[in-house]
mmCIF file of all heavy atoms in Angstrom:
data_model
loop_
_atom_site.group_PDB
_atom_site.id
_atom_site.type_symbol
_atom_site.label_atom_id
_atom_site.label_comp_id
_atom_site.label_asym_id
_atom_site.label_seq_id
_atom_site.Cartn_x
_atom_site.Cartn_y
_atom_site.Cartn_z
ATOM 1 N N THR A 3 8.690 1.728 -4.556
ATOM 2 C CA THR A 3 9.036 0.896 -5.708
ATOM 3 C C THR A 3 7.821 0.119 -6.235
ATOM 4 O O THR A 3 7.932 -0.590 -7.216
ATOM 5 C CB THR A 3 10.145 -0.122 -5.359
ATOM 6 O OG1 THR A 3 9.744 -0.859 -4.209
ATOM 7 C CG2 THR A 3 11.459 0.580 -5.064
ATOM 8 N N TYR A 13 -12.359 8.125 -3.578
ATOM 9 C CA TYR A 13 -11.325 8.334 -2.556
ATOM 10 C C TYR A 13 -10.671 9.674 -2.842
ATOM 11 O O TYR A 13 -11.048 10.357 -3.810
ATOM 12 C CB TYR A 13 -10.315 7.184 -2.551
ATOM 13 C CG TYR A 13 -9.656 6.873 -3.866
ATOM 14 C CD1 TYR A 13 -8.469 7.503 -4.244
ATOM 15 C CD2 TYR A 13 -10.213 5.958 -4.759
ATOM 16 C CE1 TYR A 13 -7.865 7.210 -5.464
ATOM 17 C CE2 TYR A 13 -9.607 5.672 -5.975
ATOM 18 C CZ TYR A 13 -8.445 6.300 -6.325
ATOM 19 O OH TYR A 13 -7.854 6.026 -7.531
ATOM 20 N N THR A 19 3.648 18.693 -4.070
ATOM 21 C CA THR A 19 4.795 18.921 -4.960
ATOM 22 C C THR A 19 5.725 19.899 -4.263
ATOM 23 O O THR A 19 5.273 20.835 -3.593
ATOM 24 C CB THR A 19 4.343 19.500 -6.312
ATOM 25 O OG1 THR A 19 3.722 20.774 -6.107
ATOM 26 C CG2 THR A 19 3.355 18.575 -6.998
ATOM 27 N N GLU A 50 2.733 7.312 -2.542
ATOM 28 C CA GLU A 50 3.855 7.125 -3.465
ATOM 29 C C GLU A 50 4.674 8.407 -3.492
ATOM 30 O O GLU A 50 4.115 9.496 -3.410
ATOM 31 C CB GLU A 50 3.349 6.850 -4.886
ATOM 32 C CG GLU A 50 2.590 5.543 -5.032
ATOM 33 C CD GLU A 50 1.472 5.647 -6.054
ATOM 34 O OE1 GLU A 50 1.001 6.776 -6.312
ATOM 35 O OE2 GLU A 50 1.059 4.597 -6.576
ATOM 36 N N ALA A 52 8.157 10.331 -5.553
ATOM 37 C CA ALA A 52 9.196 10.339 -6.575
ATOM 38 C C ALA A 52 9.916 11.667 -6.499
ATOM 39 O O ALA A 52 9.319 12.697 -6.163
ATOM 40 C CB ALA A 52 8.594 10.138 -7.960
ATOM 41 N N ARG A 53 11.187 11.633 -6.775
ATOM 42 C CA ARG A 53 11.975 12.880 -6.755
ATOM 43 C C ARG A 53 13.073 12.794 -7.811
ATOM 44 O O ARG A 53 13.901 11.888 -7.788
ATOM 45 C CB ARG A 53 12.565 13.102 -5.370
ATOM 46 C CG ARG A 53 13.515 14.235 -5.288
ATOM 47 C CD ARG A 53 13.697 14.791 -3.868
ATOM 48 N NE ARG A 53 13.645 16.225 -3.953
ATOM 49 C CZ ARG A 53 12.617 16.977 -3.658
ATOM 50 N NH1 ARG A 53 11.521 16.442 -3.169
ATOM 51 N NH2 ARG A 53 12.652 18.274 -3.830
ATOM 52 N N THR A 54 13.067 13.746 -8.746
ATOM 53 C CA THR A 54 14.129 13.838 -9.741
ATOM 54 C C THR A 54 15.317 14.552 -9.109
ATOM 55 O O THR A 54 15.151 15.650 -8.578
ATOM 56 C CB THR A 54 13.649 14.655 -10.961
ATOM 57 O OG1 THR A 54 12.457 14.068 -11.481
ATOM 58 C CG2 THR A 54 14.716 14.681 -12.040
ATOM 59 N N TYR A 64 -3.091 8.788 -0.506
ATOM 60 C CA TYR A 64 -4.463 8.381 -0.814
ATOM 61 C C TYR A 64 -5.234 8.195 0.477
ATOM 62 O O TYR A 64 -4.742 7.546 1.418
ATOM 63 C CB TYR A 64 -4.470 7.073 -1.613
ATOM 64 C CG TYR A 64 -3.692 7.174 -2.908
ATOM 65 C CD1 TYR A 64 -2.318 6.938 -2.932
ATOM 66 C CD2 TYR A 64 -4.323 7.519 -4.096
ATOM 67 C CE1 TYR A 64 -1.589 7.047 -4.116
ATOM 68 C CE2 TYR A 64 -3.598 7.631 -5.282
ATOM 69 C CZ TYR A 64 -2.238 7.399 -5.282
ATOM 70 O OH TYR A 64 -1.509 7.512 -6.442
ATOM 71 N N ASP A 72 -8.233 15.084 6.859
ATOM 72 C CA ASP A 72 -8.134 16.164 7.852
ATOM 73 C C ASP A 72 -7.482 15.678 9.147
ATOM 74 O O ASP A 72 -6.759 16.430 9.796
ATOM 75 C CB ASP A 72 -9.507 16.761 8.138
ATOM 76 C CG ASP A 72 -9.943 17.710 7.019
ATOM 77 O OD1 ASP A 72 -9.054 18.209 6.285
ATOM 78 O OD2 ASP A 72 -11.153 17.938 6.880
ATOM 79 N N GLU A 93 11.963 25.315 -0.442
ATOM 80 C CA GLU A 93 11.905 26.601 -1.127
ATOM 81 C C GLU A 93 10.450 26.923 -1.459
ATOM 82 O O GLU A 93 10.007 28.054 -1.334
ATOM 83 C CB GLU A 93 12.735 26.552 -2.406
ATOM 84 C CG GLU A 93 14.224 26.548 -2.129
ATOM 85 C CD GLU A 93 15.023 26.264 -3.379
ATOM 86 O OE1 GLU A 93 14.669 26.771 -4.463
ATOM 87 O OE2 GLU A 93 16.013 25.509 -3.278
ATOM 88 N N SER A 94 9.732 25.897 -1.901
ATOM 89 C CA SER A 94 8.307 26.079 -2.174
ATOM 90 C C SER A 94 7.615 24.728 -2.218
ATOM 91 O O SER A 94 8.263 23.698 -2.432
ATOM 92 C CB SER A 94 8.080 26.820 -3.493
ATOM 93 O OG SER A 94 8.665 26.118 -4.559
ATOM 94 N N TYR A 95 6.324 24.743 -1.954
ATOM 95 C CA TYR A 95 5.534 23.536 -2.152
ATOM 96 C C TYR A 95 4.090 23.888 -2.440
ATOM 97 O O TYR A 95 3.659 25.025 -2.178
ATOM 98 C CB TYR A 95 5.649 22.563 -0.973
ATOM 99 C CG TYR A 95 5.092 23.000 0.369
ATOM 100 C CD1 TYR A 95 3.716 23.130 0.582
ATOM 101 C CD2 TYR A 95 5.932 23.226 1.448
ATOM 102 C CE1 TYR A 95 3.211 23.484 1.824
ATOM 103 C CE2 TYR A 95 5.435 23.592 2.687
ATOM 104 C CZ TYR A 95 4.074 23.726 2.873
ATOM 105 O OH TYR A 95 3.579 24.096 4.099
ATOM 106 N N VAL A 97 -0.006 21.975 -2.376
ATOM 107 C CA VAL A 97 -0.844 20.835 -2.021
ATOM 108 C C VAL A 97 -2.168 20.969 -2.765
ATOM 109 O O VAL A 97 -2.775 22.045 -2.763
ATOM 110 C CB VAL A 97 -1.101 20.780 -0.501
ATOM 111 C CG1 VAL A 97 -1.989 19.590 -0.154
ATOM 112 C CG2 VAL A 97 0.214 20.716 0.272
ATOM 113 N N HIS A 98 -2.566 19.887 -3.427
ATOM 114 C CA HIS A 98 -3.814 19.864 -4.188
ATOM 115 C C HIS A 98 -4.644 18.686 -3.680
ATOM 116 O O HIS A 98 -4.214 17.537 -3.804
ATOM 117 C CB HIS A 98 -3.551 19.657 -5.681
ATOM 118 C CG HIS A 98 -2.511 20.582 -6.251
ATOM 119 N ND1 HIS A 98 -2.824 21.773 -6.854
ATOM 120 C CD2 HIS A 98 -1.149 20.488 -6.298
ATOM 121 C CE1 HIS A 98 -1.704 22.371 -7.255
ATOM 122 N NE2 HIS A 98 -0.680 21.605 -6.938
ATOM 123 N N ILE A 99 -5.808 18.972 -3.111
ATOM 124 C CA ILE A 99 -6.676 17.915 -2.575
ATOM 125 C C ILE A 99 -7.752 17.597 -3.596
ATOM 126 O O ILE A 99 -8.585 18.458 -3.923
ATOM 127 C CB ILE A 99 -7.370 18.374 -1.264
ATOM 128 C CG1 ILE A 99 -6.356 18.928 -0.267
ATOM 129 C CG2 ILE A 99 -8.206 17.233 -0.678
ATOM 130 C CD1 ILE A 99 -5.347 17.929 0.214
ATOM 131 N N LYS A 101 -10.863 14.940 -5.167
ATOM 132 C CA LYS A 101 -11.783 13.807 -4.979
ATOM 133 C C LYS A 101 -11.784 12.960 -6.253
ATOM 134 O O LYS A 101 -12.124 13.456 -7.331
ATOM 135 C CB LYS A 101 -13.193 14.308 -4.685
ATOM 136 C CG LYS A 101 -14.171 13.165 -4.441
ATOM 137 C CD LYS A 101 -15.560 13.645 -4.098
ATOM 138 C CE LYS A 101 -16.442 12.459 -3.713
ATOM 139 N NZ LYS A 101 -17.829 12.888 -3.409
ATOM 140 N N ARG A 104 -12.755 8.608 -10.719
ATOM 141 C CA ARG A 104 -12.396 7.780 -11.866
ATOM 142 C C ARG A 104 -10.924 7.423 -11.790
ATOM 143 O O ARG A 104 -10.076 8.291 -11.572
ATOM 144 C CB ARG A 104 -12.637 8.606 -13.132
ATOM 145 C CG ARG A 104 -12.901 7.823 -14.377
ATOM 146 C CD ARG A 104 -13.457 8.735 -15.464
ATOM 147 N NE ARG A 104 -12.399 9.422 -16.187
ATOM 148 C CZ ARG A 104 -12.592 10.429 -17.044
ATOM 149 N NH1 ARG A 104 -13.812 10.909 -17.238
ATOM 150 N NH2 ARG A 104 -11.592 10.985 -17.679
ATOM 151 N N SER A 105 -10.612 6.159 -11.902
ATOM 152 C CA SER A 105 -9.207 5.750 -11.940
ATOM 153 C C SER A 105 -9.100 4.458 -12.720
ATOM 154 O O SER A 105 -10.066 3.704 -12.857
ATOM 155 C CB SER A 105 -8.665 5.591 -10.526
ATOM 156 O OG SER A 105 -9.307 4.541 -9.861
ATOM 157 N N TYR A 106 -7.922 4.217 -13.257
ATOM 158 C CA TYR A 106 -7.688 2.978 -13.985
ATOM 159 C C TYR A 106 -6.206 2.677 -14.008
ATOM 160 O O TYR A 106 -5.395 3.540 -13.656
ATOM 161 C CB TYR A 106 -8.276 3.045 -15.404
ATOM 162 C CG TYR A 106 -7.826 4.237 -16.206
ATOM 163 C CD1 TYR A 106 -6.754 4.160 -17.081
ATOM 164 C CD2 TYR A 106 -8.485 5.465 -16.082
ATOM 165 C CE1 TYR A 106 -6.331 5.257 -17.822
ATOM 166 C CE2 TYR A 106 -8.066 6.569 -16.813
ATOM 167 C CZ TYR A 106 -6.994 6.462 -17.678
ATOM 168 O OH TYR A 106 -6.569 7.561 -18.396
ATOM 169 N N GLY A 107 -5.875 1.481 -14.376
ATOM 170 C CA GLY A 107 -4.470 1.118 -14.328
ATOM 171 C C GLY A 107 -4.127 0.070 -15.357
ATOM 172 O O GLY A 107 -4.998 -0.469 -16.060
ATOM 173 N N PHE A 108 -2.833 -0.181 -15.424
ATOM 174 C CA PHE A 108 -2.308 -1.163 -16.372
ATOM 175 C C PHE A 108 -1.209 -1.940 -15.668
ATOM 176 O O PHE A 108 -0.410 -1.368 -14.925
ATOM 177 C CB PHE A 108 -1.722 -0.456 -17.595
ATOM 178 C CG PHE A 108 -0.795 -1.298 -18.422
ATOM 179 C CD1 PHE A 108 -1.301 -2.289 -19.266
ATOM 180 C CD2 PHE A 108 0.575 -1.135 -18.341
ATOM 181 C CE1 PHE A 108 -0.441 -3.086 -20.015
ATOM 182 C CE2 PHE A 108 1.432 -1.925 -19.095
ATOM 183 C CZ PHE A 108 0.918 -2.896 -19.941
ATOM 184 N N LYS A 110 1.499 -5.156 -16.625
ATOM 185 C CA LYS A 110 1.971 -6.099 -17.642
ATOM 186 C C LYS A 110 1.751 -7.542 -17.195
ATOM 187 O O LYS A 110 1.573 -8.438 -18.009
ATOM 188 C CB LYS A 110 3.457 -5.857 -17.899
ATOM 189 C CG LYS A 110 3.901 -6.332 -19.244
ATOM 190 C CD LYS A 110 5.253 -5.730 -19.595
ATOM 191 C CE LYS A 110 5.499 -5.717 -21.074
ATOM 192 N NZ LYS A 110 6.584 -4.813 -21.442
ATOM 193 N N TYR B 13 -10.526 22.734 -10.220
ATOM 194 C CA TYR B 13 -9.810 22.253 -11.394
ATOM 195 C C TYR B 13 -9.581 20.757 -11.193
ATOM 196 O O TYR B 13 -9.959 20.201 -10.143
ATOM 197 C CB TYR B 13 -8.493 23.017 -11.610
ATOM 198 C CG TYR B 13 -7.546 23.044 -10.443
ATOM 199 C CD1 TYR B 13 -6.575 22.065 -10.271
ATOM 200 C CD2 TYR B 13 -7.612 24.066 -9.497
ATOM 201 C CE1 TYR B 13 -5.695 22.106 -9.200
ATOM 202 C CE2 TYR B 13 -6.740 24.113 -8.416
ATOM 203 C CZ TYR B 13 -5.788 23.134 -8.268
ATOM 204 O OH TYR B 13 -4.929 23.147 -7.196
ATOM 205 N N THR B 19 1.024 7.550 -12.255
ATOM 206 C CA THR B 19 2.180 6.942 -11.577
ATOM 207 C C THR B 19 2.596 5.727 -12.383
ATOM 208 O O THR B 19 1.754 5.010 -12.931
ATOM 209 C CB THR B 19 1.820 6.500 -10.143
ATOM 210 O OG1 THR B 19 0.797 5.505 -10.200
ATOM 211 C CG2 THR B 19 1.306 7.683 -9.317
ATOM 212 N N ILE B 21 5.807 2.574 -13.380
ATOM 213 C CA ILE B 21 7.066 1.849 -13.248
ATOM 214 C C ILE B 21 7.507 1.438 -14.656
ATOM 215 O O ILE B 21 6.742 0.824 -15.403
ATOM 216 C CB ILE B 21 6.901 0.601 -12.351
ATOM 217 C CG1 ILE B 21 6.531 1.046 -10.936
ATOM 218 C CG2 ILE B 21 8.173 -0.232 -12.334
ATOM 219 C CD1 ILE B 21 6.324 -0.086 -9.961
ATOM 220 N N GLU B 50 3.581 18.659 -13.939
ATOM 221 C CA GLU B 50 4.856 18.445 -13.231
ATOM 222 C C GLU B 50 5.206 16.969 -13.307
ATOM 223 O O GLU B 50 4.324 16.118 -13.252
ATOM 224 C CB GLU B 50 4.724 18.832 -11.744
ATOM 225 C CG GLU B 50 4.472 20.310 -11.496
ATOM 226 C CD GLU B 50 3.575 20.532 -10.300
ATOM 227 O OE1 GLU B 50 2.812 19.600 -9.918
ATOM 228 O OE2 GLU B 50 3.598 21.641 -9.756
ATOM 229 N N ALA B 52 8.174 13.946 -11.838
ATOM 230 C CA ALA B 52 9.327 13.584 -11.010
ATOM 231 C C ALA B 52 9.554 12.095 -11.169
ATOM 232 O O ALA B 52 8.604 11.322 -11.356
ATOM 233 C CB ALA B 52 9.082 13.925 -9.547
ATOM 234 N N ARG B 53 10.806 11.701 -11.121
ATOM 235 C CA ARG B 53 11.124 10.272 -11.244
ATOM 236 C C ARG B 53 12.350 9.957 -10.409
ATOM 237 O O ARG B 53 13.411 10.541 -10.606
ATOM 238 C CB ARG B 53 11.371 9.920 -12.707
ATOM 239 C CG ARG B 53 11.847 8.523 -12.927
ATOM 240 C CD ARG B 53 11.597 8.023 -14.324
ATOM 241 N NE ARG B 53 11.106 6.665 -14.223
ATOM 242 C CZ ARG B 53 9.857 6.281 -14.315
ATOM 243 N NH1 ARG B 53 8.924 7.149 -14.576
ATOM 244 N NH2 ARG B 53 9.517 5.037 -14.148
ATOM 245 N N THR B 54 12.208 9.045 -9.468
ATOM 246 C CA THR B 54 13.333 8.582 -8.671
ATOM 247 C C THR B 54 14.093 7.542 -9.487
ATOM 248 O O THR B 54 13.490 6.568 -9.933
ATOM 249 C CB THR B 54 12.833 7.922 -7.373
ATOM 250 O OG1 THR B 54 12.011 8.849 -6.665
ATOM 251 C CG2 THR B 54 14.010 7.514 -6.491
ATOM 252 N N TYR B 64 -2.670 19.212 -14.850
ATOM 253 C CA TYR B 64 -3.767 20.031 -14.313
ATOM 254 C C TYR B 64 -4.646 20.498 -15.461
ATOM 255 O O TYR B 64 -4.137 20.982 -16.486
ATOM 256 C CB TYR B 64 -3.190 21.242 -13.578
ATOM 257 C CG TYR B 64 -2.264 20.865 -12.441
ATOM 258 C CD1 TYR B 64 -0.911 20.650 -12.654
ATOM 259 C CD2 TYR B 64 -2.764 20.692 -11.151
ATOM 260 C CE1 TYR B 64 -0.061 20.275 -11.611
ATOM 261 C CE2 TYR B 64 -1.922 20.322 -10.110
ATOM 262 C CZ TYR B 64 -0.577 20.109 -10.349
ATOM 263 O OH TYR B 64 0.259 19.735 -9.321
ATOM 264 N N ASP B 72 -10.805 15.153 -21.004
ATOM 265 C CA ASP B 72 -11.235 14.128 -21.967
ATOM 266 C C ASP B 72 -10.705 14.421 -23.364
ATOM 267 O O ASP B 72 -10.404 13.488 -24.118
ATOM 268 C CB ASP B 72 -12.759 14.019 -21.979
ATOM 269 C CG ASP B 72 -13.265 13.224 -20.781
ATOM 270 O OD1 ASP B 72 -12.477 12.435 -20.222
ATOM 271 O OD2 ASP B 72 -14.434 13.389 -20.404
ATOM 272 N N GLU B 93 5.973 -1.293 -17.098
ATOM 273 C CA GLU B 93 5.622 -2.499 -16.365
ATOM 274 C C GLU B 93 4.221 -2.347 -15.786
ATOM 275 O O GLU B 93 3.425 -3.269 -15.787
ATOM 276 C CB GLU B 93 6.631 -2.743 -15.247
ATOM 277 C CG GLU B 93 7.972 -3.226 -15.778
ATOM 278 C CD GLU B 93 9.013 -3.268 -14.696
ATOM 279 O OE1 GLU B 93 8.695 -3.668 -13.568
ATOM 280 O OE2 GLU B 93 10.157 -2.866 -14.975
ATOM 281 N N SER B 94 3.956 -1.156 -15.237
ATOM 282 C CA SER B 94 2.618 -0.882 -14.723
ATOM 283 C C SER B 94 2.426 0.619 -14.593
ATOM 284 O O SER B 94 3.391 1.378 -14.511
ATOM 285 C CB SER B 94 2.403 -1.556 -13.362
ATOM 286 O OG SER B 94 3.370 -1.102 -12.436
ATOM 287 N N TYR B 95 1.171 1.035 -14.622
ATOM 288 C CA TYR B 95 0.865 2.432 -14.317
ATOM 289 C C TYR B 95 -0.544 2.552 -13.778
ATOM 290 O O TYR B 95 -1.358 1.634 -13.912
ATOM 291 C CB TYR B 95 1.079 3.363 -15.527
ATOM 292 C CG TYR B 95 0.186 3.158 -16.729
ATOM 293 C CD1 TYR B 95 -1.172 3.487 -16.696
ATOM 294 C CD2 TYR B 95 0.699 2.691 -17.930
ATOM 295 C CE1 TYR B 95 -1.982 3.343 -17.811
ATOM 296 C CE2 TYR B 95 -0.107 2.539 -19.050
ATOM 297 C CZ TYR B 95 -1.447 2.867 -18.989
ATOM 298 O OH TYR B 95 -2.243 2.715 -20.096
ATOM 299 N N VAL B 97 -3.728 5.691 -13.171
ATOM 300 C CA VAL B 97 -4.198 7.051 -13.404
ATOM 301 C C VAL B 97 -5.346 7.330 -12.440
ATOM 302 O O VAL B 97 -6.258 6.504 -12.308
ATOM 303 C CB VAL B 97 -4.688 7.228 -14.865
ATOM 304 C CG1 VAL B 97 -5.186 8.653 -15.086
ATOM 305 C CG2 VAL B 97 -3.566 6.897 -15.854
ATOM 306 N N HIS B 98 -5.247 8.454 -11.747
ATOM 307 C CA HIS B 98 -6.266 8.868 -10.773
ATOM 308 C C HIS B 98 -6.739 10.270 -11.169
ATOM 309 O O HIS B 98 -5.937 11.203 -11.165
ATOM 310 C CB HIS B 98 -5.685 8.928 -9.361
ATOM 311 C CG HIS B 98 -4.916 7.703 -8.951
ATOM 312 N ND1 HIS B 98 -5.505 6.649 -8.280
ATOM 313 C CD2 HIS B 98 -3.623 7.351 -9.131
ATOM 314 C CE1 HIS B 98 -4.583 5.709 -8.060
ATOM 315 N NE2 HIS B 98 -3.440 6.112 -8.557
ATOM 316 N N ILE B 99 -8.029 10.391 -11.516
ATOM 317 C CA ILE B 99 -8.575 11.689 -11.924
ATOM 318 C C ILE B 99 -9.297 12.315 -10.728
ATOM 319 O O ILE B 99 -10.289 11.771 -10.242
ATOM 320 C CB ILE B 99 -9.603 11.519 -13.068
ATOM 321 C CG1 ILE B 99 -9.010 10.704 -14.229
ATOM 322 C CG2 ILE B 99 -10.103 12.886 -13.536
ATOM 323 C CD1 ILE B 99 -7.837 11.321 -14.897
ATOM 324 N N LYS B 101 -11.047 15.786 -8.703
ATOM 325 C CA LYS B 101 -11.570 17.159 -8.759
ATOM 326 C C LYS B 101 -11.073 17.915 -7.541
ATOM 327 O O LYS B 101 -11.364 17.534 -6.400
ATOM 328 C CB LYS B 101 -13.092 17.153 -8.796
ATOM 329 C CG LYS B 101 -13.674 18.564 -8.889
ATOM 330 C CD LYS B 101 -15.185 18.564 -8.962
ATOM 331 C CE LYS B 101 -15.678 19.991 -9.194
ATOM 332 N NZ LYS B 101 -17.161 20.042 -9.264
ATOM 333 N N ARG B 104 -9.756 22.213 -3.099
ATOM 334 C CA ARG B 104 -8.952 22.849 -2.057
ATOM 335 C C ARG B 104 -7.484 22.714 -2.433
ATOM 336 O O ARG B 104 -7.019 21.618 -2.762
ATOM 337 C CB ARG B 104 -9.199 22.103 -0.740
ATOM 338 C CG ARG B 104 -9.019 22.906 0.504
ATOM 339 C CD ARG B 104 -9.640 22.179 1.672
ATOM 340 N NE ARG B 104 -8.745 21.157 2.228
ATOM 341 C CZ ARG B 104 -9.109 20.245 3.134
ATOM 342 N NH1 ARG B 104 -10.364 20.187 3.565
ATOM 343 N NH2 ARG B 104 -8.241 19.386 3.607
ATOM 344 N N SER B 105 -6.759 23.814 -2.385
ATOM 345 C CA SER B 105 -5.319 23.743 -2.620
ATOM 346 C C SER B 105 -4.657 24.910 -1.905
ATOM 347 O O SER B 105 -5.302 25.913 -1.610
ATOM 348 C CB SER B 105 -5.012 23.768 -4.118
ATOM 349 O OG SER B 105 -5.406 24.984 -4.692
ATOM 350 N N TYR B 106 -3.402 24.725 -1.601
ATOM 351 C CA TYR B 106 -2.657 25.810 -0.950
ATOM 352 C C TYR B 106 -1.183 25.601 -1.222
ATOM 353 O O TYR B 106 -0.765 24.528 -1.691
ATOM 354 C CB TYR B 106 -2.957 25.880 0.550
ATOM 355 C CG TYR B 106 -2.799 24.585 1.295
ATOM 356 C CD1 TYR B 106 -1.615 24.282 1.956
ATOM 357 C CD2 TYR B 106 -3.837 23.644 1.322
ATOM 358 C CE1 TYR B 106 -1.468 23.088 2.643
ATOM 359 C CE2 TYR B 106 -3.692 22.441 1.994
ATOM 360 C CZ TYR B 106 -2.507 22.171 2.651
ATOM 361 O OH TYR B 106 -2.348 20.982 3.309
ATOM 362 N N GLY B 107 -0.414 26.617 -0.934
ATOM 363 C CA GLY B 107 1.003 26.510 -1.245
ATOM 364 C C GLY B 107 1.846 27.353 -0.316
ATOM 365 O O GLY B 107 1.333 28.090 0.526
ATOM 366 N N PHE B 108 3.142 27.166 -0.474
ATOM 367 C CA PHE B 108 4.114 27.902 0.329
ATOM 368 C C PHE B 108 5.255 28.297 -0.594
ATOM 369 O O PHE B 108 5.682 27.509 -1.438
ATOM 370 C CB PHE B 108 4.637 27.004 1.453
ATOM 371 C CG PHE B 108 5.914 27.485 2.073
ATOM 372 C CD1 PHE B 108 5.912 28.547 2.970
ATOM 373 C CD2 PHE B 108 7.126 26.882 1.751
ATOM 374 C CE1 PHE B 108 7.101 29.000 3.533
ATOM 375 C CE2 PHE B 108 8.322 27.325 2.319
ATOM 376 C CZ PHE B 108 8.299 28.397 3.216
ATOM 377 N N LYS B 110 8.977 30.435 -0.217
ATOM 378 C CA LYS B 110 9.904 31.144 0.674
ATOM 379 C C LYS B 110 10.084 32.585 0.222
ATOM 380 O O LYS B 110 10.346 33.475 1.028
ATOM 381 C CB LYS B 110 11.256 30.420 0.668
ATOM 382 C CG LYS B 110 12.064 30.676 1.897
ATOM 383 C CD LYS B 110 13.163 29.631 2.004
ATOM 384 C CE LYS B 110 13.666 29.525 3.445
ATOM 385 N NZ LYS B 110 14.460 28.331 3.634
#
Side-chain angles (χ1 to χ4, degrees):
Chain A
T3 53
Y13 54 89
T19 62
E50 295 146 337
R53 173 158 225 101
T54 304
Y64 302 87
D72 282 338
E93 287 170 40
S94 59
Y95 66 70
V97 179
H98 310 266
I99 309 296
K101 182 178 186 182
R104 205 166 84 191
S105 65
Y106 53 95
F108 162 76
K110 204 164 202 163
Chain B
Y13 55 90
T19 62
I21 296 179
E50 294 146 338
R53 174 158 223 101
T54 304
Y64 302 88
D72 282 338
E93 287 172 40
S94 58
Y95 65 70
V97 180
H98 311 267
I99 307 298
K101 181 179 186 180
R104 207 165 83 190
S105 64
Y106 52 95
F108 162 77
K110 204 163 201 166

